[in-house]
Amino acid sequence: MTYKTGAGREAAMSVRADNPNAQIATKLRALYLSVQEEAIPDRFLDLLEKLDAVERQSMADVAE
């Protein structure tokens, strides 16, 4: 198998048609890359910011 890496992050591989494990691996890799490139929803980012604020506040309360 050959792998291409770089800015495009495309996984171009030569896969033998008679090797089901290689076909599964190729499809899983493509799925992983597509999920990895998805944007994080704004609602989730807002929740993370709120959590950070609560943690900062609790650390300030402990320091007093």
Side-chain angles (χ1 to χ4, degrees):
M1 274 190 237
T2 59
Y3 298 95
K4 288 184 182 177
T5 59
R9 298 178 55 142
E10 297 175 5
M13 293 171 271
S14 59
V15 178
R16 292 184 52 158
D18 61 344
N19 187 345
N21 288 335
Q23 292 173 359
I24 292 169
T26 300
K27 290 179 183 182
L28 285 173
R29 192 171 292 107
L31 176 64
Y32 174 79
L33 289 174
S34 70
V35 169
Q36 188 177 15
E37 293 173 1
E38 287 181 10
I40 298 173
D42 290 335
R43 183 169 181 216
F44 185 68
L45 291 174
D46 291 340
L47 289 172
L48 289 175
E49 288 175 13
K50 288 177 184 178
L51 177 62
D52 286 341
V54 169
E55 287 180 345
R56 283 192 299 272
Q57 182 62 39
S58 67
M59 295 300 282
D61 292 344
V62 170
E64 293 176 359

